[in-house]
mmCIF file of all heavy atoms in Angstrom:
data_model
loop_
_atom_site.group_PDB
_atom_site.id
_atom_site.type_symbol
_atom_site.label_atom_id
_atom_site.label_comp_id
_atom_site.label_asym_id
_atom_site.label_seq_id
_atom_site.Cartn_x
_atom_site.Cartn_y
_atom_site.Cartn_z
ATOM 1 N N LEU A 210 67.600 -54.453 30.893
ATOM 2 C CA LEU A 210 67.813 -55.586 30.014
ATOM 3 C C LEU A 210 66.453 -56.199 29.666
ATOM 4 O O LEU A 210 65.656 -56.463 30.562
ATOM 5 C CB LEU A 210 68.706 -56.620 30.718
ATOM 6 C CG LEU A 210 68.910 -57.954 30.012
ATOM 7 C CD1 LEU A 210 69.641 -57.743 28.686
ATOM 8 C CD2 LEU A 210 69.665 -58.927 30.910
ATOM 9 N N VAL A 211 66.238 -56.420 28.391
ATOM 10 C CA VAL A 211 64.964 -56.995 27.945
ATOM 11 C C VAL A 211 65.227 -57.946 26.788
ATOM 12 O O VAL A 211 66.209 -57.760 26.039
ATOM 13 C CB VAL A 211 63.987 -55.867 27.546
ATOM 14 C CG1 VAL A 211 64.499 -55.086 26.354
ATOM 15 C CG2 VAL A 211 62.591 -56.400 27.303
ATOM 16 N N GLN A 212 64.386 -58.926 26.635
ATOM 17 C CA GLN A 212 64.546 -59.849 25.504
ATOM 18 C C GLN A 212 63.957 -59.218 24.248
ATOM 19 O O GLN A 212 63.077 -58.352 24.296
ATOM 20 C CB GLN A 212 63.806 -61.156 25.808
ATOM 21 C CG GLN A 212 64.501 -62.023 26.856
ATOM 22 C CD GLN A 212 63.878 -63.391 26.963
ATOM 23 O OE1 GLN A 212 62.670 -63.578 26.688
ATOM 24 N NE2 GLN A 212 64.644 -64.367 27.409
ATOM 25 N N ALA A 213 64.462 -59.692 23.129
ATOM 26 C CA ALA A 213 63.948 -59.234 21.835
ATOM 27 C C ALA A 213 62.436 -59.440 21.779
ATOM 28 O O ALA A 213 61.916 -60.478 22.228
ATOM 29 C CB ALA A 213 64.621 -59.971 20.690
ATOM 30 N N GLY A 214 61.746 -58.430 21.269
ATOM 31 C CA GLY A 214 60.285 -58.481 21.208
ATOM 32 C C GLY A 214 59.625 -57.841 22.413
ATOM 33 O O GLY A 214 58.411 -57.608 22.407
ATOM 34 N N GLY A 215 60.407 -57.547 23.436
ATOM 35 C CA GLY A 215 59.879 -56.959 24.634
ATOM 36 C C GLY A 215 59.723 -55.448 24.554
ATOM 37 O O GLY A 215 59.948 -54.853 23.503
ATOM 38 N N SER A 216 59.348 -54.844 25.691
ATOM 39 C CA SER A 216 59.090 -53.413 25.738
ATOM 40 C C SER A 216 59.769 -52.792 26.936
ATOM 41 O O SER A 216 60.006 -53.440 27.959
ATOM 42 C CB SER A 216 57.579 -53.148 25.844
ATOM 43 O OG SER A 216 56.892 -53.636 24.738
ATOM 44 N N LEU A 217 60.085 -51.517 26.779
ATOM 45 C CA LEU A 217 60.591 -50.701 27.883
ATOM 46 C C LEU A 217 60.020 -49.304 27.724
ATOM 47 O O LEU A 217 59.746 -48.861 26.590
ATOM 48 C CB LEU A 217 62.112 -50.592 27.869
ATOM 49 C CG LEU A 217 62.938 -51.759 28.424
ATOM 50 C CD1 LEU A 217 64.414 -51.503 28.174
ATOM 51 C CD2 LEU A 217 62.653 -52.007 29.888
ATOM 52 N N ARG A 218 59.868 -48.590 28.829
ATOM 53 C CA ARG A 218 59.471 -47.194 28.750
ATOM 54 C C ARG A 218 60.535 -46.357 29.490
ATOM 55 O O ARG A 218 60.776 -46.548 30.676
ATOM 56 C CB ARG A 218 58.115 -46.927 29.407
ATOM 57 C CG ARG A 218 57.638 -45.497 29.145
ATOM 58 C CD ARG A 218 56.258 -45.207 29.701
ATOM 59 N NE ARG A 218 56.290 -44.941 31.124
ATOM 60 C CZ ARG A 218 55.353 -44.247 31.758
ATOM 61 N NH1 ARG A 218 54.314 -43.754 31.075
ATOM 62 N NH2 ARG A 218 55.416 -44.045 33.057
ATOM 63 N N LEU A 219 61.135 -45.462 28.723
ATOM 64 C CA LEU A 219 62.114 -44.537 29.294
ATOM 65 C C LEU A 219 61.403 -43.249 29.704
ATOM 66 O O LEU A 219 60.465 -42.792 29.043
ATOM 67 C CB LEU A 219 63.200 -44.206 28.288
ATOM 68 C CG LEU A 219 63.947 -45.396 27.676
ATOM 69 C CD1 LEU A 219 65.060 -44.890 26.753
ATOM 70 C CD2 LEU A 219 64.485 -46.337 28.725
ATOM 71 N N SER A 220 61.914 -42.651 30.772
ATOM 72 C CA SER A 220 61.390 -41.374 31.240
ATOM 73 C C SER A 220 62.527 -40.376 31.314
ATOM 74 O O SER A 220 63.687 -40.740 31.597
ATOM 75 C CB SER A 220 60.772 -41.514 32.633
ATOM 76 O OG SER A 220 59.693 -42.413 32.629
ATOM 77 N N CYS A 221 62.203 -39.115 31.079
ATOM 78 C CA CYS A 221 63.175 -38.038 31.201
ATOM 79 C C CYS A 221 62.491 -36.885 31.946
ATOM 80 O O CYS A 221 61.535 -36.307 31.424
ATOM 81 C CB CYS A 221 63.651 -37.570 29.847
ATOM 82 S SG CYS A 221 64.712 -36.130 29.889
ATOM 83 N N VAL A 222 62.976 -36.608 33.131
ATOM 84 C CA VAL A 222 62.419 -35.524 33.935
ATOM 85 C C VAL A 222 63.299 -34.300 33.781
ATOM 86 O O VAL A 222 64.525 -34.378 34.010
ATOM 87 C CB VAL A 222 62.313 -35.914 35.420
ATOM 88 C CG1 VAL A 222 61.747 -34.771 36.229
ATOM 89 C CG2 VAL A 222 61.460 -37.165 35.578
ATOM 90 N N ALA A 223 62.665 -33.188 33.432
ATOM 91 C CA ALA A 223 63.402 -31.932 33.268
ATOM 92 C C ALA A 223 63.141 -31.023 34.455
ATOM 93 O O ALA A 223 61.991 -30.929 34.934
ATOM 94 C CB ALA A 223 62.963 -31.249 31.978
ATOM 95 N N SER A 224 64.157 -30.363 34.926
ATOM 96 C CA SER A 224 64.005 -29.416 36.025
ATOM 97 C C SER A 224 64.878 -28.204 35.723
ATOM 98 O O SER A 224 65.748 -28.221 34.868
ATOM 99 C CB SER A 224 64.405 -30.052 37.359
ATOM 100 O OG SER A 224 65.762 -30.465 37.341
ATOM 101 N N GLY A 225 64.591 -27.128 36.455
ATOM 102 C CA GLY A 225 65.345 -25.910 36.250
ATOM 103 C C GLY A 225 64.533 -24.924 35.428
ATOM 104 O O GLY A 225 63.345 -24.747 35.618
ATOM 105 N N ARG A 226 65.167 -24.319 34.435
ATOM 106 C CA ARG A 226 64.542 -23.310 33.609
ATOM 107 C C ARG A 226 63.317 -23.868 32.855
ATOM 108 O O ARG A 226 63.351 -24.973 32.323
ATOM 109 C CB ARG A 226 65.574 -22.805 32.614
ATOM 110 C CG ARG A 226 65.071 -21.780 31.616
ATOM 111 C CD ARG A 226 66.179 -21.386 30.680
ATOM 112 N NE ARG A 226 65.691 -20.695 29.512
ATOM 113 C CZ ARG A 226 66.450 -20.393 28.478
ATOM 114 N NH1 ARG A 226 67.718 -20.743 28.468
ATOM 115 N NH2 ARG A 226 65.935 -19.777 27.450
ATOM 116 N N THR A 227 62.263 -23.089 32.799
ATOM 117 C CA THR A 227 61.042 -23.500 32.114
ATOM 118 C C THR A 227 61.305 -23.708 30.616
ATOM 119 O O THR A 227 61.880 -22.859 29.967
ATOM 120 C CB THR A 227 59.930 -22.462 32.290
ATOM 121 O OG1 THR A 227 59.668 -22.295 33.664
ATOM 122 C CG2 THR A 227 58.670 -22.901 31.590
ATOM 123 N N ILE A 228 60.904 -24.833 30.080
ATOM 124 C CA ILE A 228 61.150 -25.111 28.673
ATOM 125 C C ILE A 228 59.872 -25.499 27.970
ATOM 126 O O ILE A 228 59.871 -26.245 27.003
ATOM 127 C CB ILE A 228 62.179 -26.243 28.517
ATOM 128 C CG1 ILE A 228 61.741 -27.492 29.290
ATOM 129 C CG2 ILE A 228 63.543 -25.779 28.967
ATOM 130 C CD1 ILE A 228 62.638 -28.672 29.043
ATOM 131 N N SER A 229 58.736 -24.972 28.428
ATOM 132 C CA SER A 229 57.461 -25.386 27.894
ATOM 133 C C SER A 229 57.278 -24.998 26.428
ATOM 134 O O SER A 229 56.391 -25.517 25.776
ATOM 135 C CB SER A 229 56.335 -24.789 28.730
ATOM 136 O OG SER A 229 56.426 -23.369 28.702
ATOM 137 N N SER A 230 58.056 -24.101 25.895
ATOM 138 C CA SER A 230 57.893 -23.678 24.503
ATOM 139 C C SER A 230 58.879 -24.325 23.550
ATOM 140 O O SER A 230 58.962 -23.952 22.397
ATOM 141 C CB SER A 230 58.054 -22.154 24.406
ATOM 142 O OG SER A 230 59.368 -21.814 24.789
ATOM 143 N N ALA A 231 59.602 -25.318 24.011
ATOM 144 C CA ALA A 231 60.675 -25.880 23.199
ATOM 145 C C ALA A 231 60.391 -27.349 22.860
ATOM 146 O O ALA A 231 59.269 -27.796 22.856
ATOM 147 C CB ALA A 231 61.995 -25.732 23.913
ATOM 148 N N ALA A 232 61.415 -28.073 22.546
ATOM 149 C CA ALA A 232 61.291 -29.469 22.126
ATOM 150 C C ALA A 232 62.192 -30.350 22.970
ATOM 151 O O ALA A 232 63.179 -29.903 23.537
ATOM 152 C CB ALA A 232 61.658 -29.609 20.654
ATOM 153 N N MET A 233 61.824 -31.605 23.001
ATOM 154 C CA MET A 233 62.634 -32.627 23.667
ATOM 155 C C MET A 233 62.924 -33.737 22.704
ATOM 156 O O MET A 233 62.096 -34.068 21.858
ATOM 157 C CB MET A 233 61.889 -33.185 24.881
ATOM 158 C CG MET A 233 61.590 -32.176 25.952
ATOM 159 S SD MET A 233 63.049 -31.695 26.879
ATOM 160 C CE MET A 233 63.354 -33.175 27.823
ATOM 161 N N GLY A 234 64.096 -34.313 22.830
ATOM 162 C CA GLY A 234 64.464 -35.389 21.918
ATOM 163 C C GLY A 234 65.098 -36.554 22.642
ATOM 164 O O GLY A 234 65.590 -36.411 23.767
ATOM 165 N N TRP A 235 65.046 -37.705 21.993
ATOM 166 C CA TRP A 235 65.776 -38.875 22.444
ATOM 167 C C TRP A 235 66.788 -39.260 21.382
ATOM 168 O O TRP A 235 66.469 -39.298 20.185
ATOM 169 C CB TRP A 235 64.813 -40.043 22.685
ATOM 170 C CG TRP A 235 63.986 -39.947 23.908
ATOM 171 C CD1 TRP A 235 62.707 -39.497 24.000
ATOM 172 C CD2 TRP A 235 64.367 -40.315 25.230
ATOM 173 N NE1 TRP A 235 62.278 -39.556 25.291
ATOM 174 C CE2 TRP A 235 63.293 -40.060 26.083
ATOM 175 C CE3 TRP A 235 65.538 -40.834 25.803
ATOM 176 C CZ2 TRP A 235 63.302 -40.301 27.467
ATOM 177 C CZ3 TRP A 235 65.565 -41.075 27.168
ATOM 178 C CH2 TRP A 235 64.464 -40.817 27.989
ATOM 179 N N PHE A 236 67.972 -39.565 21.826
ATOM 180 C CA PHE A 236 69.048 -40.037 20.971
ATOM 181 C C PHE A 236 69.613 -41.305 21.573
ATOM 182 O O PHE A 236 69.400 -41.601 22.750
ATOM 183 C CB PHE A 236 70.158 -38.954 20.847
ATOM 184 C CG PHE A 236 69.732 -37.735 20.073
ATOM 185 C CD1 PHE A 236 68.905 -36.782 20.672
ATOM 186 C CD2 PHE A 236 70.136 -37.556 18.777
ATOM 187 C CE1 PHE A 236 68.498 -35.662 19.957
ATOM 188 C CE2 PHE A 236 69.752 -36.438 18.051
ATOM 189 C CZ PHE A 236 68.924 -35.482 18.655
ATOM 190 N N ARG A 237 70.384 -42.038 20.776
ATOM 191 C CA ARG A 237 71.025 -43.237 21.324
ATOM 192 C C ARG A 237 72.385 -43.414 20.698
ATOM 193 O O ARG A 237 72.629 -42.976 19.581
ATOM 194 C CB ARG A 237 70.160 -44.478 21.062
ATOM 195 C CG ARG A 237 69.975 -44.849 19.603
ATOM 196 C CD ARG A 237 68.966 -45.990 19.483
ATOM 197 N NE ARG A 237 68.781 -46.427 18.117
ATOM 198 C CZ ARG A 237 67.871 -47.301 17.725
ATOM 199 N NH1 ARG A 237 67.038 -47.867 18.634
ATOM 200 N NH2 ARG A 237 67.755 -47.646 16.468
ATOM 201 N N GLN A 238 73.250 -44.070 21.475
ATOM 202 C CA GLN A 238 74.603 -44.320 20.995
ATOM 203 C C GLN A 238 75.016 -45.733 21.390
ATOM 204 O O GLN A 238 75.084 -46.059 22.593
ATOM 205 C CB GLN A 238 75.592 -43.299 21.586
ATOM 206 C CG GLN A 238 76.971 -43.398 21.001
ATOM 207 C CD GLN A 238 77.847 -42.204 21.340
ATOM 208 O OE1 GLN A 238 77.588 -41.475 22.316
ATOM 209 N NE2 GLN A 238 78.851 -41.963 20.548
ATOM 210 N N ALA A 239 75.289 -46.531 20.395
ATOM 211 C CA ALA A 239 75.776 -47.889 20.597
ATOM 212 C C ALA A 239 77.301 -47.867 20.669
ATOM 213 O O ALA A 239 77.926 -46.940 20.147
ATOM 214 C CB ALA A 239 75.297 -48.792 19.489
ATOM 215 N N PRO A 240 77.915 -48.870 21.281
ATOM 216 C CA PRO A 240 79.376 -48.873 21.412
ATOM 217 C C PRO A 240 80.059 -48.788 20.048
ATOM 218 O O PRO A 240 79.700 -49.522 19.125
ATOM 219 C CB PRO A 240 79.652 -50.230 22.081
ATOM 220 C CG PRO A 240 78.409 -50.531 22.827
ATOM 221 C CD PRO A 240 77.288 -49.993 21.989
ATOM 222 N N GLY A 241 80.995 -47.878 19.919
ATOM 223 C CA GLY A 241 81.749 -47.732 18.695
ATOM 224 C C GLY A 241 81.014 -47.037 17.577
ATOM 225 O O GLY A 241 81.525 -46.965 16.456
ATOM 226 N N LYS A 242 79.829 -46.531 17.863
ATOM 227 C CA LYS A 242 79.026 -45.878 16.822
ATOM 228 C C LYS A 242 78.723 -44.429 17.196
ATOM 229 O O LYS A 242 78.880 -44.029 18.352
ATOM 230 C CB LYS A 242 77.734 -46.629 16.588
ATOM 231 C CG LYS A 242 77.948 -48.030 16.038
ATOM 232 C CD LYS A 242 76.645 -48.654 15.630
ATOM 233 C CE LYS A 242 76.857 -50.024 15.002
ATOM 234 N NZ LYS A 242 75.582 -50.648 14.569
ATOM 235 N N GLU A 243 78.292 -43.671 16.246
ATOM 236 C CA GLU A 243 77.926 -42.288 16.485
ATOM 237 C C GLU A 243 76.552 -42.232 17.190
ATOM 238 O O GLU A 243 75.761 -43.166 17.108
ATOM 239 C CB GLU A 243 77.893 -41.514 15.179
ATOM 240 C CG GLU A 243 79.264 -41.361 14.537
ATOM 241 C CD GLU A 243 79.222 -40.449 13.311
ATOM 242 O OE1 GLU A 243 78.111 -40.093 12.871
ATOM 243 O OE2 GLU A 243 80.290 -40.121 12.819
ATOM 244 N N ARG A 244 76.298 -41.103 17.787
ATOM 245 C CA ARG A 244 75.007 -40.865 18.406
ATOM 246 C C ARG A 244 73.968 -40.680 17.300
ATOM 247 O O ARG A 244 74.175 -39.897 16.374
ATOM 248 C CB ARG A 244 75.086 -39.638 19.287
ATOM 249 C CG ARG A 244 73.817 -39.290 20.023
ATOM 250 C CD ARG A 244 74.008 -38.037 20.831
ATOM 251 N NE ARG A 244 74.352 -36.908 19.979
ATOM 252 C CZ ARG A 244 74.855 -35.783 20.389
ATOM 253 N NH1 ARG A 244 75.124 -35.619 21.684
ATOM 254 N NH2 ARG A 244 75.117 -34.801 19.546
ATOM 255 N N ASP A 245 72.833 -41.358 17.439
ATOM 256 C CA ASP A 245 71.793 -41.301 16.427
ATOM 257 C C ASP A 245 70.493 -40.730 17.022
ATOM 258 O O ASP A 245 70.153 -40.970 18.166
ATOM 259 C CB ASP A 245 71.457 -42.700 15.872
ATOM 260 C CG ASP A 245 72.581 -43.234 15.005
ATOM 261 O OD1 ASP A 245 73.294 -42.444 14.383
ATOM 262 O OD2 ASP A 245 72.740 -44.480 14.952
ATOM 263 N N PHE A 246 69.777 -40.032 16.194
ATOM 264 C CA PHE A 246 68.469 -39.499 16.559
ATOM 265 C C PHE A 246 67.456 -40.659 16.647
ATOM 266 O O PHE A 246 67.484 -41.581 15.833
ATOM 267 C CB PHE A 246 68.016 -38.507 15.503
ATOM 268 C CG PHE A 246 66.580 -38.087 15.633
ATOM 269 C CD1 PHE A 246 66.161 -37.243 16.638
ATOM 270 C CD2 PHE A 246 65.626 -38.554 14.744
ATOM 271 C CE1 PHE A 246 64.838 -36.862 16.772
ATOM 272 C CE2 PHE A 246 64.300 -38.197 14.867
ATOM 273 C CZ PHE A 246 63.907 -37.335 15.878
ATOM 274 N N VAL A 247 66.575 -40.562 17.643
ATOM 275 C CA VAL A 247 65.514 -41.559 17.795
ATOM 276 C C VAL A 247 64.134 -40.915 17.606
ATOM 277 O O VAL A 247 63.357 -41.365 16.773
ATOM 278 C CB VAL A 247 65.601 -42.228 19.164
ATOM 279 C CG1 VAL A 247 64.415 -43.193 19.379
ATOM 280 C CG2 VAL A 247 66.919 -42.953 19.364
ATOM 281 N N ALA A 248 63.841 -39.885 18.394
ATOM 282 C CA ALA A 248 62.515 -39.270 18.348
ATOM 283 C C ALA A 248 62.577 -37.887 18.982
ATOM 284 O O ALA A 248 63.454 -37.592 19.777
ATOM 285 C CB ALA A 248 61.496 -40.134 19.097
#
């Protein structure tokens, strides 16, 4: 939880099969809405 104007840093740790040649993405889904691409 953060106030408007604030900052957060999300982390995503991958394990298992090596994926060094691929891509990673972030998506988000708000209540009642479809999942959207972020980055």
Side-chain angles (χ1 to χ4, degrees):
L210 173 64
V211 64
Q212 288 189 333
S216 298
L217 282 175
R218 188 178 80 156
L219 306 183
S220 299
C221 173
V222 180
S224 61
R226 177 182 165 189
T227 301
I228 55 173
S229 59
S230 63
M233 298 287 288
W235 286 97
F236 291 76
R237 65 187 182 186
Q238 187 167 22
K242 295 188 177 181
E243 294 186 351
R244 182 181 60 196
D245 289 331
F246 169 74
V247 176

